[in-house]
Amino acid sequence: MLRRSSAWVTLGYVLLVVAGGALLWLPFHTQYALDDWKTELRATGVPARAVVQDQVTKSGGNRTSPSTTMYFRYELAGRTHEQEVGCVEVCRSVGEEVSIWVNPADPSDFVTDFDQLSGHRGRIQGGLGAAGFATLVVAVPLLLSRIPFRRWFPPRKRRRRSGAPGHGGAAFTIRSKHKRGGRT
């Protein structure tokens, strides 16, 4: 009965490692997909000019640094659109013009000349990636503790060395670069 329970626990740890790995992989996969989408938007999107209308900085909440969001206003096909862009690496000043490429199927979707996509994309995937990393930090040592390393790799037996009896009859060995024998 104990063996069956042990197998289920090991299977649970394996599943935790697989789930943690998948969650950790998700943000990387999402980033590659977003990079491809940026390239596609630059090639197939409608070029436009956007003006930074406003900048809002919110306190960090549970983060250590505040987050800043830029609000863009742009015109496409005679209609005015507004959309937000997070200040990740670049934060433009209010009133500044920015070149954008807009998705013709969805006018709220665009890429800027400084390679930032509209909206705040990938935040959920980033949180899931952090949860996956935490899961792996816990699950991998638990899984490794279930592997019977001693059964597969038994410890080597220590070789006994021959030696002359010492004080109290204990054997000891002396290693020296000099030959045995006395000096003359």
Side-chain angles (χ1 to χ4, degrees):
M1 186 72 174
L2 183 60
R3 283 297 229 193
R4 177 176 253 186
S5 171
S6 176
W8 284 109
V9 170
T10 304
L11 179 63
Y13 292 157
V14 168
L15 291 175
L16 270 176
V17 168
V18 169
L23 288 173
L24 184 61
W25 170 79
L26 183 64
F28 295 105
H29 171 71
T30 301
Q31 188 59 49
Y32 293 137
L34 290 177
D35 288 344
D36 291 344
W37 181 239
K38 288 178 198 177
T39 304
E40 186 175 334
L41 269 179
R42 283 183 180 270
T44 62
V46 177
R49 301 290 291 167
V51 177
V52 179
Q53 287 298 112
D54 195 11
Q55 260 187 23
V56 176
T57 302
K58 295 181 181 175
S59 63
N62 62 354
R63 296 179 307 221
T64 57
S65 63
S67 66
T68 302
T69 302
M70 297 177 286
Y71 292 90
F72 285 22
R73 180 175 284 163
Y74 55 98
E75 195 169 305
L76 185 68
R79 294 188 62 189
T80 302
H81 300 276
E82 287 188 22
Q83 189 56 259
E84 62 184 29
V85 174
C87 291
V88 178
E89 293 177 9
V90 176
C91 206
R92 300 287 172 98
S93 302
V94 174
E96 198 171 336
E97 272 196 11
V98 176
S99 296
I100 61 173
W101 291 266
V102 183
N103 180 359
D106 180 9
S108 66
D109 187 20
F110 63 84
V111 64
T112 65
D113 61 353
F114 51 90
D115 253 3
Q116 186 70 31
L117 286 166
S118 58
H120 295 281
R121 301 175 191 219
R123 282 186 176 177
I124 293 172
Q125 291 86 350
L128 290 174
F133 180 74
T135 301
L136 284 175
V137 165
V138 171
V140 167
L142 289 173
L143 180 61
L144 290 175
S145 73
R146 306 295 293 180
I147 298 175
F149 287 112
R150 290 199 183 270
R151 185 172 10 145
W152 294 345
F153 305 106
R156 292 191 295 173
K157 295 185 179 179
R158 296 175 59 161
R159 282 186 18 201
R160 299 192 99 194
R161 296 181 180 171
S162 63
H167 293 295
F172 71 94
T173 303
I174 297 176
R175 302 223 177 228
S176 172
K177 294 181 183 179
H178 305 289
K179 291 183 179 180
R180 287 192 182 181
R183 293 185 187 187
T184 55

